[in-house]
Amino acid sequence: MPYDPSSSESRWQQAWSDAGSFTATRDSRPKYYVLEMFPYPSGRIHMGHVRNYTMGDVVARFKRAQGFSVLHPMGWDAFGMPAENAAMEQGGHPRDWTYANIATMREQLKPLGLSIDWSREFATCDDAYVHQQQAMFLDMLEAGLITRKSAQVNWDPVDMTVLANEQVIDGKGWRSGATVERRELTQWFFRISDYSDELLSALDGLTGWPDKVRLMQANWIGKSRGLQFRFQTVDAPEGFEAIEVYTTRPDTLMGASFVALSPDHPLVRDLAAADPKVAAFVEDCRKIGTTEEAIETAPKLGFDTGLTVKHPLDEGWQLPIWIANFVLMDYGTGAIFGSPAHDERDHEFATKYGLPIRATFGERGMSLEQADALVAKVPYVPLKSEIVTYVRGFSGQAEQTGEAAVDAAIAHAEAHGYGEGVTKFRLRDWGISRQRYWGCPIPVLHCEKCGTVPEAKENLPVLLPQDVTFDVPGNPLDRHPTWRQAVCPSCGGAALRETDTMDTFVDSSWYYARFTSPHAATPTDRADADYWMNVDQYIGGIEHAILHLLYSRFFARAMVKTGHLPESAKEPFDALFTQGMVTHEIYMTRDERGRPVYHLPEDVYRLHLKGNEVAVLKREGFDDLSDEEAIEYAEAFAGEIEIIPSAKMSKSKKNVVDPVNIVQSFGADTARWFMLSDSPPERDVEWTAVGAIGANRFLARVWHLASLDIQEAEDPDLTRAAHRAIADVTKAIEGFAFNKAVAKIYELANAVGKSKAGGEARRAVLRIMAQLMGPMVPHLAEDVWAMAGGQGLLVDAPWPKADPALLEDDTVVLPIQINGKRRAEISVAKDMPKDQIEAMVLADETVRRFLEGAAPKKLIVVPGRIVNVVA
RNA sequence: GGGCCCAUACCCCAAUUGGUAGAGGGAGAGGUCUUAAACACCUUUCAGUCCGGGUUCGAGUCCCGGUGGGCCUACCA
C-alpha cells in the first residue's frame, strides 16, 4: 500500500474531530495558550498563512503531548477597507463579501490539519464581538482612557474620505487621484500617550520577545530629555510675546542662528491671515504630502517673517524668525531654534538661506577658529557620549561629553529661570476615528442639548445598517436616511449617532482575550481570562512589531483598568516569535514594447540544464512530452524567461504558489514538512517545486519504512539513535529550531532504513519516530503510529522521554591538537580523570614525534572535548 | 540619515555557544533493480567558513575595520 495522503489525511482529521481532541478545557493540567496572528479574510489562504499556522501547530501539539491543556484558537480580522473597496468595484455588500471569504478560507485551512479549537472561532465583524467592543469602549470612555480632540487628517476631496498615510501616493489619493488636502477633524483618541513611560519601561520585562521588536517599540515611543524654553519676540502680533521651543541639544544654544516655526504654528496662522505671501508659502508647504517618499525628497523650504526674537542669554542678540517646512507641529512645540553647526537639517537650511553657522563645540582640543572651520561645509554631529571641546559653551566644563553638556545647560536654564528640563515622547495618542462604513461603530450620540453622549449599555450593540450602497463616494452612514437618528440616553430628546467607525487595530487589540471566552455575554469572563491569560506563545510577522503589538499592550492595560482582565495580563504576550516570509523566484518575459510580463510558477518549466538555471514557458501540449522531449523543448526555448532572484510572494509579480494546489497534489503534511525544513523559522524560506517533491518523497519513504515487514532481530544502536533523537528533537522544538528538529528526524529515518532491527524492537523505534514527527506531520505520524502498534490516537500519547542511560557513549574519541592543529586522536573512557588523559597523550606516538623528547610548554585538556599540546 | 539581522560546498542550511568545520535536505555524477521508466536502495563529487586586522593554547563562533545582501524606521529638533 503506497503513501496516499489524500485519503488518510481527511480520515485522521475526522478522527480528531470525533474525539474532540483539540477542544480547550479548563482542568487540572497546566495551561498553555499558543496563538498565531489571526488572518484577514482576503479570500484565499497563502503560503505565509501555512508557515505561520504550521509553526503554531507544532508548538500546540508539542505542548499538548507534554501534558498541557492547550488553547489554540482561530478567528478573523474581518473589518477593513478591502471589503468596502470590493463593494465599490464589484457591487455587493461588504458583509457578504467578508463572510463568503471566511467560509472559503476556513475550508482551505481545515485540510491543513491544524490542532485548532474551532468551537472558539469568531470574526471581529460578528454582532457579538461588535457588541462587546462597544461595551468596553464605554467603560474606557468612563475611565478617562478615551478623549475627543481635533487632529489633522489626509482628506480626499473627491472620494470625500479620510485616507491613511499609505493611501496617499505622491500627494494624491490612491483611488481618486485627487490632490490630498490636510484637514482638521474632531476625532476619537485612545490616550495611549499617557502610558508612554509605562509602555517603554515595561519592555525590559518582556524577556520572551525578540530584542529587535523591543527596540523598535522603544524607538517608536521615542523618549527624549531636553529643554523647553521661551524666546521673547520683538514686534510680534499680540498674544505672541514669546515663542516656546523644545530642544534636545540646549548645549548648542550659543550656536543658534534662527528660529523656525512649523507652517501650522499658531503664529504662522496669525501672520497668514494678514499677509497673502505667508498664506501662499504655507499653501506650498501643504502641497507636499505626508508620505515618506514625499518627505524624503522634499527640499527645505523657508520663509523669512521679518520678525525677530531675543537670545535668552544675550538681550542684544536678535535671531530671525523663519517658517520652515521641515518643522512638525505635532512634535515638541512646533517651533525650534536652528543650530546649523550641529544638525544636518539646520545646516542645509542655513546654507540655502545664507544664515550664520557658528560652532558651539569642536573636536577635542580645537580652538574656536578650528571648530568654525570644521562646521563650515558639513555639520559636526558626534555621538552624545563623545567628549568634545566647547568653544561657545555657557555651562559645565569646556571639555565634556554632549550628555554632560546637555545636563549642565538644563541646570543653567532652570537656575536662571529661562527654561526647564522636559521629557518628551514621540508616541502620540491613537486616533481611532475612521470615516468608513465597514468597521465597528463608535457607540456615542450627538445631542443638541447634552452634547456628546455615550450610548446606554442596554442599547448596545449599535449595529451597522444593512441597506447601504457604495455607488457614491463618502461614508454611507452619513447619508443613510434613518440610521443616524436616535434617542439621547441622557435627556430623551432626539440625537444623532456618531458615524465614525473604529480603526481595525482596535479589533485586533483584544481578540486574544476574547478567545478565552468567545461566547460570553461580557467582553471577557474573568474566570476564563484568569485561567488562560497570558498568551504563552504568540507567533506572527515582523510587520506587526510596532503598531499591533503596541496597541495590544496598551489595550490590555486599559482592560485591566476597566476590570476586563486581571492585573497579571497587562502584558498579554509572554513570548513572541516573528517568523520570516515565504519567497519564490520571479519569472519574467517582456512584451513587444519592452514592458515586463510575469508568469506563474505553474506555467513555467524549470530545470538545471548543463549547469545553467533555465525556465521556459509551458506551451500547449507540454504536459504530454516525455522527459527527454521536455529537455529538448527547454533547450529550444532556453533564455526566453528571465529568472529574478527570490522575493516575497506577491500577486503582482505572480511568484505565488497556491497552498490549496499543494495540499491537493501532495497532501498537507508535505506542505507542513517543507515549511519547517531547511530554513530557520525566523528567516525567509524559499518555496521551490523540487523542494516540495523532496519533502513528499521523504514522507513516502517514512511510510515505506513503517510498512516493511522485517524479521525479528535486535539492534541496540537503533534504540540508542531513537533516544538520541528524542533528546535532540525535544530541544530543537523548545528552541523554535524546527529545521534542526527536521534534520534529526531525517537522521533517525536513515538509521531505521539501515537497521536490521525487526519485530517489537523496530516497532518501538517507529513509534518514537511517529511521536517526534507528530507535531509537524500529524497525519502521517498517526499512520506510522497505527502501523507500529501504537495504542489509541497518537495525539493522545504523551511525549516520549529519552532514557539518559542511552544518550551517552561510554567512550569518547578525543582529538589531539598540537599547536592548534589536529594531529591525532585517542579513545578514552568518558569519565577518565585528567591526569590519566595527560599521561596517555604524552605517551602517544605522534605527540612524542612532534615534541622530540622535550616537555610540552603547555597541555590543555578539555574533558570530553579536546586536547591541545603546545610544543 | 538611523537601527537591526545575515554571509559556511552549486543551492538551502548544521556545528554541543571558544574545542575534530558537515548533522540534514536539495541539485550534479555513477550504479543496483526494471523490457523501459517511476519508486526504492547504494556509491560519489564539492568548502576551510565574504575580505583585512586583533584577542587566544585554540576563532565559523569574541573584538575592530571593510564589502555585499535583507528587514525595519525616519525631517522627532
Side-chain angles (χ1 to χ4, degrees):
Chain A
M1 195 171 52
Y3 175 51
D4 177 22
S6 62
S7 68
S8 73
E9 289 189 351
S10 55
R11 194 159 39 87
W12 290 120
Q13 285 164 20
Q14 192 60 49
W16 299 327
S17 174
D18 291 346
S21 300
F22 308 130
T23 307
T25 52
R26 276 168 54 187
D27 52 36
S28 57
R29 292 174 292 173
K31 72 92 189 179
Y32 194 90
Y33 184 2
V34 57
L35 182 68
E36 300 96 61
M37 292 180 183
F38 67 164
Y40 178 79
S42 56
R44 297 191 72 80
I45 64 166
H46 54 68
M47 280 297 176
H49 292 130
V50 176
R51 193 175 195 204
N52 193 188
Y53 302 136
T54 298
M55 286 182 197
D57 203 42
V58 170
V59 175
R61 287 175 178 271
F62 175 67
K63 289 293 175 183
R64 194 168 179 281
Q66 285 192 319
F68 289 86
S69 171
V70 171
L71 172 56
H72 186 212
M74 178 62 70
W76 309 93
D77 188 13
F79 276 131
M81 295 220 325
E84 256 182 85
N85 295 337
M88 280 187 258
E89 281 159 18
Q90 312 150 23
H93 196 282
R95 170 177 292 266
D96 300 335
W97 183 88
T98 303
Y99 279 105
N101 284 353
I102 289 174
T104 306
M105 289 174 73
R106 188 192 299 116
E107 289 319 301
Q108 295 180 342
L109 223 39
K110 285 202 167 175
L112 289 175
L114 303 169
S115 64
I116 283 168
D117 180 356
W118 286 100
S119 73
R120 290 175 186 257
E121 177 193 356
F122 63 78
T124 56
C125 63
D126 290 347
D127 292 352
Y129 196 79
V130 166
H131 185 165
Q132 299 313 327
Q133 185 159 302
Q134 289 172 338
M136 267 197 303
F137 182 94
L138 296 178
D139 290 343
M140 291 177 186
L141 187 63
E142 197 181 341
L145 290 158
I146 297 175
T147 184
R148 194 160 178 259
K149 59 188 180 186
S150 155
Q152 287 208 345
V153 295
N154 301 307
W155 179 260
D156 185 321
V158 171
D159 275 359
M160 294 198 292
T161 187
V162 168
L163 299 177
N165 277 341
E166 55 271 22
Q167 295 169 331
V168 182
I169 298 151
D170 290 334
K172 306 211 187 302
W174 67 295
R175 170 183 299 281
S176 69
T179 301
V180 171
E181 299 166 6
R182 285 202 268 170
R183 265 209 194 178
E184 293 247 322
L185 285 186
T186 304
Q187 311 221 64
W188 291 95
F189 287 84
F190 279 109
R191 301 183 58 164
I192 190 172
S193 65
D194 290 355
Y195 287 78
S196 297
D197 227 345
E198 151 86 10
L199 288 169
L200 180 67
S201 58
L203 287 172
D204 291 339
L206 296 179
T207 49
W209 286 39
D211 289 346
K212 180 185 177 166
V213 174
R214 292 197 280 174
L215 185 75
M216 283 164 72
Q217 294 225 344
N219 289 341
W220 188 260
I221 295 168
K223 185 176 186 172
S224 70
R225 168 113 180 123
L227 178 73
Q228 187 152 332
F229 68 102
R230 286 148 300 278
F231 280 112
Q232 303 304 314
T233 55
V234 181
D235 302 331
E238 208 186 321
F240 296 102
E241 286 73 22
I243 291 174
E244 191 92 30
V245 299
Y246 172 72
T247 178
T248 55
R249 293 309 297 259
D251 54 319
T252 66
L253 193 49
M254 295 307 285
S257 82
F258 59 92
V259 168
L261 305 179
S262 163
D264 300 308
H265 193 275
L267 173 54
V268 175
R269 293 185 179 197
D270 203 273
L271 295 172
D275 184 347
K277 278 188 296 194
V278 175
F281 176 77
V282 170
E283 206 45 51
D284 282 349
C285 294
R286 291 257 160 87
K287 278 188 192 146
I288 298 167
T290 53
T291 60
E292 283 174 27
E293 318 95 85
I295 288 166
E296 194 176 352
T297 52
K300 304 258 179 297
L301 294 180
F303 183 92
D304 188 353
T305 63
L307 300 173
T308 58
V309 296
K310 292 178 192 165
H311 196 281
L313 300 177
D314 180 356
E315 284 283 301
W317 178 9
Q318 295 197 355
L319 302 172
I321 303 180
W322 285 68
I323 306 167
N325 65 342
F326 66 91
V327 181
L328 306 177
M329 191 59 220
D330 44 14
Y331 186 78
T333 62
I336 61 156
F337 74 82
S339 180
H342 307 293
D343 183 282
E344 307 258 356
R345 293 156 305 172
D346 295 351
H347 197 277
E348 188 186 333
F349 192 80
T351 305
K352 180 167 179 181
Y353 292 106
L355 297 159
I357 299 171
R358 291 151 38 98
T360 40
F361 52 82
E363 284 169 16
R364 205 169 179 181
M366 274 188 172
S367 68
L368 190 138
E369 288 73 24
Q370 285 172 317
D372 274 341
L374 177 70
V375 301
K377 288 276 182 291
V378 283
Y380 175 49
V381 193
L383 292 177
K384 272 190 195 169
S385 52
E386 226 171 275
I387 292 180
V388 293
T389 296
Y390 279 78
V391 295
R392 287 191 180 90
F394 61 95
S395 59
Q397 307 295 313
E399 285 207 347
Q400 58 186 337
T401 64
E403 277 150 12
V406 167
D407 289 343
I410 291 173
H412 184 270
E414 286 179 342
H416 294 81
Y418 63 86
E420 47 287 322
V422 180
T423 298
K424 286 213 185 283
F425 294 91
R426 203 186 83 108
L427 182 65
R428 284 169 248 153
D429 278 340
W430 172 19
I432 59 154
S433 290
R434 297 290 180 271
Q435 291 67 40
R436 287 275 159 193
Y437 169 79
W438 191 232
C440 176
I442 294 174
V444 294
L445 301 162
H446 301 285
C447 171
E448 280 206 20
K449 249 168 69 191
C450 315
T452 304
V453 188
E455 179 61 283
K457 268 201 179 173
E458 56 270 25
N459 293 339
L460 297 183
V462 178
L463 296 176
L464 293 165
Q466 291 305 295
D467 50 337
V468 288
T469 56
F470 297 87
D471 44 0
V472 254
N475 182 352
L477 296 179
D478 279 330
R479 56 175 189 265
H480 192 276
T482 56
W483 185 78
R484 293 198 70 179
Q485 287 149 25
V487 175
C488 173
S490 172
C491 70
L496 286 178
R497 287 201 185 284
E498 170 71 66
T499 58
D500 285 352
T501 52
M502 293 185 210
D503 179 6
T504 57
F505 273 120
V506 179
D507 312 339
S508 55
S509 289
W510 71 286
Y511 77 107
Y512 51 87
R514 182 68 181 169
F515 275 136
T516 64
S517 49
H519 311 299
T522 46
T524 56
D525 177 285
R526 274 299 297 271
D528 283 321
D530 288 5
Y531 178 81
W532 289 114
M533 288 298 286
N534 296 342
V535 176
D536 293 275
Q537 182 67 59
Y538 196 32
I539 307 171
I542 188 74
E543 66 273 18
H544 293 112
I546 296 178
L547 292 182
H548 162 60
L549 291 167
L550 189 64
Y551 292 151
S552 294
R553 295 178 61 220
F554 162 74
F555 217 86
R557 285 169 169 78
M559 287 176 75
V560 169
K561 190 170 179 187
T562 49
H564 297 297
L565 280 179
E567 174 72 22
S568 56
K570 69 178 182 180
E571 283 296 347
F573 311 123
D574 281 352
L576 171 71
F577 188 87
T578 55
Q579 101 266 8
M581 298 180 302
V582 183
T583 67
H584 198 284
E585 290 178 331
I586 299 169
Y587 304 119
M588 189 186 82
T589 57
R590 291 185 182 277
D591 67 9
E592 63 282 358
R593 289 165 65 180
R595 292 170 302 196
V597 178
Y598 298 103
H599 303 277
L600 287 168
E602 64 208 53
D603 298 331
V604 169
Y605 177 53
R606 179 80 173 73
L607 77 166
H608 298 259
L609 202 62
K610 296 172 188 143
N612 287 319
E613 301 290 325
V614 171
V616 296
L617 282 174
K618 290 181 186 169
R619 291 173 178 77
E620 205 172 327
F622 175 85
D623 292 334
D624 303 329
L625 300 178
S626 72
D627 278 17
E628 284 85 8
E629 287 170 329
I631 290 171
E632 277 175 35
Y633 174 89
E635 281 175 334
F637 290 100
E640 68 170 345
I641 291 183
E642 189 180 338
I643 303 170
I644 298 170
S646 217
K648 181 179 182 173
M649 286 187 177
S650 83
K651 279 184 191 151
S652 63
K653 298 278 193 283
K654 289 205 178 173
N655 60 336
V656 287
V657 173
D658 191 335
V660 173
N661 295 344
I662 299 299
V663 172
Q664 268 169 10
S665 40
F666 297 107
D669 282 343
T670 293
R672 296 171 60 121
W673 188 251
F674 185 102
M675 282 302 174
L676 299 166
S677 308
D678 292 356
S679 290
E682 67 276 12
R683 240 186 272 179
D684 291 351
V685 63
E686 180 180 38
W687 183 275
T688 61
V690 282
I693 293 167
N696 186 252
R697 195 182 300 152
F698 174 71
L699 299 184
R701 196 172 133 227
V702 170
W703 173 282
H704 174 74
L705 287 175
S707 62
L708 288 178
D709 191 18
I710 301 234
Q711 312 247 316
E712 301 245 351
E714 294 287 320
D715 184 357
D717 285 345
L718 183 62
T719 305
R720 260 176 204 285
H723 280 259
R724 183 79 256 164
I726 294 173
D728 290 344
V729 170
T730 305
K731 197 179 161 209
I733 293 179
E734 276 167 351
F736 257 81
F738 305 130
N739 55 324
K740 289 189 224 171
V742 164
K744 294 298 174 191
I745 288 169
Y746 269 105
E747 219 171 323
L748 179 58
N750 290 344
V752 173
K754 283 202 174 75
S755 174
K756 297 273 182 280
E760 177 51 26
R762 181 184 180 85
R763 283 196 296 273
V765 170
L766 283 171
R767 286 199 301 275
I768 288 174
M769 189 158 83
Q771 288 177 292
L772 298 180
M773 294 177 80
M776 304 178 214
V777 284
H779 314 90
L780 173 63
E782 290 281 5
D783 282 321
V784 173
W785 177 256
M787 285 191 269
Q791 293 298 302
L793 286 171
L794 170 67
V795 280
D796 294 326
W799 193 251
K801 283 201 169 50
D803 179 351
L806 295 174
L807 289 182
E808 294 199 40
D809 291 325
D810 297 336
T811 59
V812 290
V813 175
L814 280 188
I816 300 174
Q817 291 185 334
I818 298 168
N819 292 331
K821 288 231 181 339
R822 183 176 176 278
R823 300 291 184 189
E825 60 182 37
I826 50 170
S827 189
V828 300
K830 194 184 66 185
D831 49 1
M832 181 182 278
K834 245 181 168 177
D835 50 345
Q836 275 187 44
I837 296 176
E838 284 177 15
M840 273 184 76
V841 168
L842 292 176
D844 183 88
E845 214 168 296
T846 318
V847 174
R848 286 170 62 176
R849 203 169 64 238
F850 267 91
L851 289 176
E852 290 169 344
K857 284 204 191 99
K858 216 169 180 183
L859 187 58
I860 295 142
V861 177
V862 184
R865 295 240 193 282
I866 203 165
V867 178
N868 195 4
V869 183
V870 185

Coordinates of all heavy atoms in Angstrom, one line a residue, chain A residues 13-46:
Chain A
Q13 N -8.2 13.7 10.3 CA -8.9 14.9 10.7 C -10.3 14.6 11.3 O -10.7 15.2 12.3 CB -9.0 15.9 9.6 CG -7.6 16.5 9.2 CD -7.6 17.2 7.9 OE1 -8.6 17.5 7.3 NE2 -6.4 17.4 7.4
Q14 N -11.0 13.7 10.7 CA -12.3 13.3 11.2 C -12.1 12.6 12.5 O -12.9 12.9 13.4 CB -12.9 12.3 10.2 CG -14.4 12.1 10.4 CD -15.2 13.4 10.4 OE1 -15.1 14.2 9.5 NE2 -16.0 13.6 11.4
A15 N -11.1 11.8 12.7 CA -10.9 11.1 13.9 C -10.7 12.1 15.1 O -11.2 11.9 16.2 CB -9.8 10.1 13.8
W16 N -9.8 13.1 14.8 CA -9.5 14.1 15.9 C -10.8 14.9 16.2 O -11.1 15.1 17.4 CB -8.4 15.1 15.4 CG -7.1 14.4 15.1 CD1 -6.6 13.3 15.7 CD2 -6.2 14.8 14.0 NE1 -5.4 13.0 15.1 CE2 -5.1 13.9 14.1 CE3 -6.2 15.8 13.1 CZ2 -4.0 14.0 13.2 CZ3 -5.1 15.9 12.2 CH2 -4.0 15.0 12.3
S17 N -11.5 15.2 15.1 CA -12.7 16.0 15.4 C -13.7 15.2 16.2 O -14.3 15.7 17.2 CB -13.3 16.3 14.0 OG -14.6 17.0 14.2
D18 N -13.9 13.9 15.8 CA -14.8 13.0 16.6 C -14.4 12.9 18.0 O -15.3 12.8 18.9 CB -14.9 11.6 15.9 CG -15.6 11.7 14.6 OD1 -16.2 12.7 14.3 OD2 -15.4 10.7 13.8
A19 N -13.1 12.8 18.3 CA -12.6 12.6 19.6 C -12.6 14.0 20.4 O -12.3 14.0 21.6 CB -11.2 12.0 19.6
G20 N -12.8 15.1 19.7 CA -12.8 16.4 20.4 C -11.4 16.7 20.9 O -11.2 17.3 21.9
S21 N -10.4 16.2 20.2 CA -9.0 16.3 20.7 C -8.5 17.7 21.0 O -7.7 17.9 21.9 CB -8.1 15.6 19.7 OG -8.4 14.3 19.4
F22 N -9.0 18.6 20.2 CA -8.5 20.0 20.3 C -9.4 21.0 21.0 O -9.1 22.2 21.0 CB -8.1 20.5 18.9 CG -7.2 19.5 18.2 CD1 -7.6 19.1 16.9 CD2 -6.1 18.9 18.8 CE1 -6.8 18.2 16.2 CE2 -5.3 18.0 18.1 CZ -5.7 17.6 16.8
T23 N -10.4 20.5 21.7 CA -11.3 21.4 22.4 C -10.5 21.8 23.7 O -10.1 20.9 24.5 CB -12.6 20.6 22.8 OG1 -13.2 20.1 21.6 CG2 -13.5 21.6 23.5
A24 N -10.4 23.1 23.9 CA -9.6 23.5 25.0 C -10.5 23.5 26.3 O -11.6 24.0 26.2 CB -9.1 25.0 24.8
T25 N -10.0 22.9 27.3 CA -10.8 22.8 28.5 C -10.0 23.2 29.8 O -8.8 23.1 29.8 CB -11.2 21.3 28.8 OG1 -10.0 20.5 28.8 CG2 -12.2 20.9 27.8
R26 N -10.7 23.9 30.7 CA -10.1 24.2 31.9 C -10.1 23.0 32.8 O -11.1 22.5 33.1 CB -10.9 25.3 32.6 CG -10.6 26.7 32.1 CD -11.6 27.7 32.6 NE -11.8 27.7 34.0 CZ -12.7 28.4 34.6 NH1 -13.5 29.2 33.9 NH2 -12.8 28.4 35.9
D27 N -8.9 22.5 33.2 CA -8.9 21.3 34.0 C -7.6 21.4 34.9 O -7.0 22.4 35.0 CB -8.9 20.1 33.2 CG -7.9 20.0 32.1 OD1 -6.8 20.5 32.3 OD2 -8.2 19.6 30.9
S28 N -7.2 20.2 35.4 CA -6.2 20.2 36.4 C -4.8 20.3 35.7 O -3.8 20.6 36.4 CB -6.2 18.9 37.2 OG -6.2 17.8 36.3
R29 N -4.7 20.2 34.4 CA -3.4 20.3 33.8 C -2.9 21.7 33.8 O -3.8 22.6 33.8 CB -3.5 19.8 32.3 CG -3.8 18.3 32.1 CD -4.0 18.0 30.7 NE -5.2 18.6 30.2 CZ -5.6 18.5 28.9 NH1 -4.8 18.0 28.0 NH2 -6.7 19.1 28.5
P30 N -1.6 22.0 33.7 CA -1.2 23.3 33.5 C -1.6 23.8 32.1 O -1.8 23.0 31.2 CB 0.3 23.2 33.5 CG 0.7 21.8 33.2 CD -0.5 21.0 33.7
K31 N -1.9 25.1 32.0 CA -2.4 25.6 30.7 C -1.3 26.1 29.8 O -0.3 26.5 30.3 CB -3.5 26.7 30.9 CG -2.9 28.0 31.4 CD -2.6 29.0 30.3 CE -1.8 30.2 30.8 NZ -1.5 31.1 29.7
Y32 N -1.6 26.1 28.5 CA -0.7 26.7 27.6 C -1.5 27.3 26.4 O -2.3 26.7 25.8 CB 0.3 25.7 27.0 CG 1.5 26.3 26.3 CD1 2.7 26.6 27.0 CD2 1.4 26.6 24.9 CE1 3.7 27.2 26.3 CE2 2.5 27.2 24.3 CZ 3.7 27.5 25.0 OH 4.7 28.1 24.4
Y33 N -1.2 28.6 26.2 CA -2.0 29.3 25.2 C -1.1 29.7 24.1 O -0.2 30.5 24.3 CB -2.6 30.6 25.9 CG -3.5 31.4 25.0 CD1 -3.9 31.1 23.7 CD2 -4.1 32.6 25.6 CE1 -4.7 31.9 23.0 CE2 -5.0 33.4 24.8 CZ -5.3 33.1 23.5 OH -6.1 33.9 22.8
V34 N -1.3 29.1 22.9 CA -0.5 29.4 21.8 C -1.4 30.1 20.7 O -2.5 29.6 20.4 CB 0.3 28.2 21.2 CG1 -0.7 27.1 20.8 CG2 1.1 28.6 20.0
L35 N -0.9 31.2 20.2 CA -1.7 32.0 19.3 C -0.9 32.5 18.1 O 0.2 33.0 18.3 CB -2.3 33.2 20.0 CG -3.2 34.1 19.3 CD1 -4.5 33.4 18.9 CD2 -3.5 35.4 20.1
E36 N -1.5 32.3 16.9 CA -0.9 32.9 15.7 C -1.7 34.1 15.4 O -2.9 34.1 15.6 CB -0.8 31.9 14.6 CG -0.1 30.7 14.8 CD -1.0 29.5 15.3 OE1 -1.8 29.1 14.5 OE2 -0.8 29.1 16.4
M37 N -1.1 35.1 14.8 CA -1.8 36.3 14.4 C -2.9 35.9 13.5 O -2.7 35.2 12.5 CB -0.9 37.4 13.8 CG 0.1 37.9 14.8 SD 1.2 39.1 14.1 CE 2.3 39.5 15.5
F38 N -4.2 36.4 13.8 CA -5.3 35.9 13.0 C -5.3 36.6 11.6 O -4.8 37.7 11.5 CB -6.6 36.0 13.8 CG -7.1 37.4 14.1 CD1 -8.5 37.5 14.5 CD2 -6.3 38.5 14.1 CE1 -9.0 38.8 14.8 CE2 -6.8 39.7 14.4 CZ -8.2 39.9 14.7
P39 N -5.9 35.8 10.6 CA -5.8 36.3 9.3 C -6.9 37.3 8.9 O -8.0 37.3 9.5 CB -6.0 35.0 8.4 CG -6.8 34.2 9.3 CD -6.5 34.5 10.7
Y40 N -6.5 38.2 7.9 CA -7.5 39.0 7.3 C -8.2 38.2 6.2 O -7.5 37.5 5.4 CB -6.9 40.3 6.7 CG -8.0 41.1 6.0 CD1 -8.8 41.9 6.8 CD2 -8.2 41.0 4.7 CE1 -9.8 42.6 6.2 CE2 -9.2 41.7 4.0 CZ -10.0 42.5 4.8 OH -11.0 43.2 4.2
P41 N -9.5 38.1 6.2 CA -10.2 37.3 5.2 C -10.2 37.9 3.8 O -11.2 38.3 3.3 CB -11.6 37.1 5.7 CG -11.8 38.4 6.6 CD -10.5 38.7 7.1
S42 N -9.0 37.8 3.2 CA -8.9 38.4 1.9 C -9.5 37.6 0.8 O -9.8 38.1 -0.3 CB -7.4 38.6 1.6 OG -6.8 37.3 1.7
G43 N -9.7 36.3 1.0 CA -10.3 35.5 0.0 C -9.7 34.1 -0.1 O -10.4 33.1 -0.3
R44 N -8.4 34.0 0.0 CA -7.7 32.7 -0.1 C -6.6 32.7 0.9 O -6.0 33.7 1.2 CB -7.1 32.5 -1.5 CG -8.1 32.5 -2.7 CD -7.5 32.0 -4.0 NE -7.1 30.6 -4.0 CZ -8.0 29.7 -4.2 NH1 -9.3 29.9 -4.4 NH2 -7.6 28.4 -4.2
I45 N -6.3 31.5 1.3 CA -5.1 31.4 2.2 C -3.8 31.4 1.3 O -3.9 31.1 0.1 CB -5.1 30.2 3.1 CG1 -5.0 28.9 2.3 CG2 -6.3 30.2 4.0 CD1 -4.7 27.7 3.1
H46 N -2.7 31.9 1.8 CA -1.5 31.9 1.1 C -0.4 31.2 1.9 O -0.6 30.8 3.0 CB -1.1 33.3 0.7 CG -1.0 34.3 1.9 ND1 0.0 34.2 2.8 CD2 -1.8 35.3 2.2 CE1 -0.2 35.1 3.7 NE2 -1.2 35.8 3.4

